[in-house]
């Protein structure tokens, strides 16, 4: 399985059309079709369902797309890192971020760092804890920003100076409406219907 073939596969998956993908890749359509057929034979799975004017991924194709995207990103990252070996003040940093209000602290630090090291480039993707830690484990990203406490036996971490504040929205006559704070355990004990009655 070659990296070039993964790039071909991703182009076809993105374009959902063999002819358009071939044009973007600057290869002939028969060459592209042959490469994808070899890939399907190698994996022993059908990756596409072909229609008259379009192509749709099968379940196996969807799985391969996710893996191929990570593989291509990793290969590109390796190439970039080696090109940047002589450039100690430049390069790329990859972040995977959970959605959190505390990201503003990281954004501020990146802005300050960028002012000092203008050749640094930052790439940010978002996802939940499982998605970003999976990318961290694979080496696709350099840092993960999580909204929950990480596995301390597996990761070194720094805490943000603040924590996200969560709340409950309810009707004014709800049993919880007069409380100053609501602990998660209390919500677990109530039936959801009681919150909305």
């Amino acid at each position: 399985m070659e990296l070039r073939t993964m790039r071909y596969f991703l182009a076809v998956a993105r374009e959902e059309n063999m002819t358009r993908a071939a044009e973007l890749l600057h290869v002939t359509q028969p060459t592209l079709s042959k490469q994808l057929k070899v890939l399907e034979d190698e994996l022993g799975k059908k990756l596409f369902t072909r229609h008259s004017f379009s192509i749709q991924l099968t379940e196996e194709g969807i799985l391969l797309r996710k893996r191929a995207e990570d593989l291509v990103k990793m290969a590109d990252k390796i190439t970039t890192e080696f090109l940047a070996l002589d450039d100690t003040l430049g390069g790329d940093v990859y972040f995977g971020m959970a959605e959190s209000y505390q990201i503003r602290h990281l954004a501020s630090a990146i802005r300050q760092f960028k002012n000092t090291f203008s050749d640094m480039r930052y790439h940010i993707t978002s996802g939940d804890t499982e998605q970003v830690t999976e990318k961290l484990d694979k080496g696709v990203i350099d840092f993960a920003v999580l909204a929950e406490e990480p596995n301390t036996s597996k990761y070194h971490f720094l805490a943000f100076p603040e924590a996200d504040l969560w709340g409950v929205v309810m009707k004014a006559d709800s049993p919880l409406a007069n409380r100053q704070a609501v602990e998660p355990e209390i919500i677990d004990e109530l039936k959801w219907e009681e919150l909305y009655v």
Side-chain angles (χ1 to χ4, degrees):
M1 193 178 312
E2 296 181 15
L3 188 60
R4 182 186 64 200
T5 308
M6 292 294 99
R7 293 185 192 277
Y8 286 178
F9 167 77
L10 288 172
V12 173
R14 184 176 50 250
E15 295 301 317
E16 297 181 344
N17 182 284
M18 194 75 71
T19 304
R20 277 198 311 266
E23 289 171 0
L24 289 171
L25 294 165
H26 305 290
V27 298
T28 65
Q29 199 257 334
T31 299
L32 183 57
S33 294
K34 182 179 176 185
Q35 289 292 317
L36 294 179
K37 178 69 174 123
V38 169
L39 179 61
E40 286 182 323
D41 291 345
E42 186 178 347
L43 294 173
K45 299 289 181 186
K46 188 175 177 181
L47 302 173
F48 299 99
T49 302
R50 290 153 175 87
H51 304 288
S52 300
F53 298 103
S54 66
I55 293 175
Q56 184 177 6
L57 291 175
T58 62
E59 287 185 28
E60 293 82 2
I62 292 169
L63 174 62
L64 180 62
R65 181 180 191 170
K66 184 176 188 300
R67 299 295 181 243
E69 285 171 345
D70 287 345
L71 183 65
V72 168
K73 282 180 188 173
M74 175 59 77
D76 290 344
K77 184 178 176 195
I78 290 169
T79 301
T80 302
E81 285 175 352
F82 272 83
L83 290 173
L85 283 177
D86 296 330
D87 183 8
T88 56
L89 300 179
D92 293 87
V93 181
Y94 295 83
F95 293 96
M97 307 232 184
E99 294 180 10
S100 167
Y101 185 62
Q102 305 315 315
I103 298 301
R104 71 187 193 281
H105 297 295
L106 181 63
S108 175
I110 288 173
R111 184 175 53 250
Q112 292 172 13
F113 203 76
K114 185 80 171 157
N115 289 338
T116 306
F117 303 104
S118 60
D119 289 336
M120 291 294 291
R121 292 172 300 279
Y122 303 92
H123 308 272
I124 299 173
T125 59
S126 65
D128 61 25
T129 297
E130 184 179 340
Q131 292 167 331
V132 295
T133 54
E134 180 183 348
K135 289 185 185 304
L136 183 64
D137 291 342
K138 290 179 180 177
V140 175
I141 59 173
D142 300 305
F143 300 96
V145 178
L146 309 176
E148 56 191 70
E149 191 169 324
N151 178 346
T152 55
S153 65
K154 191 172 182 181
Y155 304 108
H156 176 74
F157 74 97
L158 300 170
F160 280 118
E162 302 171 48
D164 283 336
L165 182 63
W166 292 82
V168 179
V169 177
M170 67 197 78
K171 292 173 120 181
D173 59 353
S174 168
L176 302 179
N178 293 327
R179 298 181 65 96
Q180 292 297 317
V182 179
E183 295 77 20
E185 300 80 34
I186 293 174
I187 295 174
D188 286 343
E189 291 172 11
L190 291 173
K191 295 179 185 162
W192 284 104
E193 302 84 44
E194 292 177 7
L195 294 174
Y196 301 105
V197 173

